Amino acid sequence: MKICITTSGQDMDAQVDPRFGRAQAFIIFDTESGDWQLLANSVNLNAVQGAGIQTAQMLAKAGVSAVLTGHCGPKAFRVLDAAGIKVYSGVSGGVSEAVEAFKNGQLSAAGGPDVQGHWQ
Amino acid sequence: MKIAVASGKGGTGKTTISTNLARVLSGSHKVQYLDCDVEEPNAHLFLHPQITSRRDAGVLVPQIDESICTSCGKCAEFCYFNAIACLANTTITFHELCHGCGGCAMVCPERAITEIERPIGVIECGISGEIEFVHGRLNIGEAISVPLIRQVIGHARPDRVVIMDAPPGTACPVVGTLKGADKAVLVAEPTAFGLHDLTLAMDLIRELSLPCGVFINQFDIGDDRVERFCEANDIPIWGRLAHDRRIAEAYSRGMLAVDAVPEAAASFESLASELLRGGGL
């Protein structure tokens, strides 16, 4: 399965970006092959609003099944949920460590957004 | 002729200047007052209009017929405000982010989108002495005010001198107000903060190519930095109002300065004549 980790860097040695919609970039990691690729977020990073919505849509198109991130708001969560993507919020530290924790079943999927939207 | 009263900074006296100006102008002209600060309208506290009509104001938002939608994604791609997410098997809309431009319905090749009205506030019209009064009240919790501001401005009558009380700042609500104006009065205080925010407001005014002048509120406090800025940038100073405790006292009782302080009336009469001198009124 493909999973997505929000990152403030460029590779597996980078840190997890606590932001979802406006994360610097995404690492799309294939849990079967161990391959990964970097997905830029330049467009959504500069969105006037609704960055989380568009990021969620982009990740759905990329075919990921799970997202590992720091925080996820209500609008992004709604889109991810509708796309059948599991959200693992509260993740911090290194990207590789986050992937290991996920593979070892140490993370649990969030039942809802963990932060308020920017408009509330 | 529509005159917007704006300022980069909040609390510089936009409502004080615009309500008193409206009162003074109403002695010689047919005046209409539009309170465009729909997030916190307060001109009614000073003009005490009798409200004669009230109607709900809304914004048109998309409703997607999922039985027709093919999830082609054209609507989501079009939406500048990211209010639509298109997934493989469903298209999700976020009405609270929608500005109601209608573009999604236009680009939908399947005609799966119809526009429905979502209420965002109310518009109240009334009369205050000789002044026709209109203001908008945005619903609490609502993030998008420009569609309501546009509807308030839509009430402007061509045969009136229209005074528009703008929201503070230099962001979208102010741009939305100034776009509907023919000229602008920028209210500034002669302080470091006042000059800083006047500079921002001037940048916006230049961007919009709007004729404008500055009105210095409490001109006798602070220093001469705002005057020097206006002189250096060829911005006319259309009036000055002195710092006067009696004006503040009148304000706190919901009274107009021109009714309470005779000297204040002269300041607004000179502002009115500067505006009239520009022609077009």
Side-chain angles (χ1 to χ4, degrees), chain B residues 5-7 9-19 33 165-169 187:
Chain B
V5 179
S7 72
K9 187 176 172 294
T12 50
K14 283 179 299 300
T15 302
T16 301
I17 307 313
S18 54
T19 50
Y33 190 97
D165 188 2
V187 183

Side-chain angles (χ1 to χ4, degrees), chain A residues 48-49 54 57 75 78 119, chain B residues 81-82 84 86 92 97:
Chain A
V48 287
Q49 60 176 23
Q54 294 310 303
Q57 179 185 270
K75 296 190 185 73
R78 192 175 141 204
W119 302 123
Chain B
F81 293 103
N82 295 328
I84 306 176
C86 187
I92 305 169
L97 299 184

Side-chain angles (χ1 to χ4, degrees), chain A residues 1-5 26-32 37 39 54-67 79-80 83-86 102, chain B residues 86-88:
Chain A
M1 75 189 281
K2 281 205 270 188
I3 64 170
C4 163
I5 309 97
F26 306 99
I27 286 185
I28 309 296
F29 184 88
D30 189 318
T31 53
E32 276 94 51
Q37 63 181 62
L39 188 59
Q54 294 310 303
T55 296
Q57 179 185 270
M58 179 174 82
L59 295 176
K61 273 196 190 129
V64 309
S65 306
V67 168
V79 177
L80 291 168
I85 300 171
K86 291 243 183 313
F102 176 80
Chain B
C86 187
L87 301 172

Side-chain angles (χ1 to χ4, degrees), chain A:
Chain A
M1 75 189 281
K2 281 205 270 188
I3 64 170
C4 163
I5 309 97
T6 56
T7 180
S8 51
Q10 309 248 310
D11 54 33
M12 295 296 291
D13 297 328
Q15 294 292 299
V16 172
D17 194 324
R19 298 165 301 176
F20 173 69
R22 291 183 200 273
Q24 280 297 319
F26 306 99
I27 286 185
I28 309 296
F29 184 88
D30 189 318
T31 53
E32 276 94 51
S33 67
D35 293 341
W36 62 269
Q37 63 181 62
L38 189 74
L39 188 59
N41 196 32
S42 51
V43 175
N44 299 323
L45 201 51
N46 297 314
V48 287
Q49 60 176 23
I53 295 167
Q54 294 310 303
T55 296
Q57 179 185 270
M58 179 174 82
L59 295 176
K61 273 196 190 129
V64 309
S65 306
V67 168
L68 279 52
T69 189
H71 301 290
C72 181
K75 296 190 185 73
F77 192 89
R78 192 175 141 204
V79 177
L80 291 168
D81 193 45
I85 300 171
K86 291 243 183 313
V87 180
Y88 297 83
S89 51
V91 177
S92 61
V95 170
S96 305
E97 289 76 19
V99 169
E100 281 312 304
F102 176 80
K103 287 204 285 196
N104 296 336
Q106 291 163 329
L107 304 179
S108 50
D114 73 310
V115 284
Q116 290 273 298
H118 299 301
W119 302 123
Q120 272 104 45

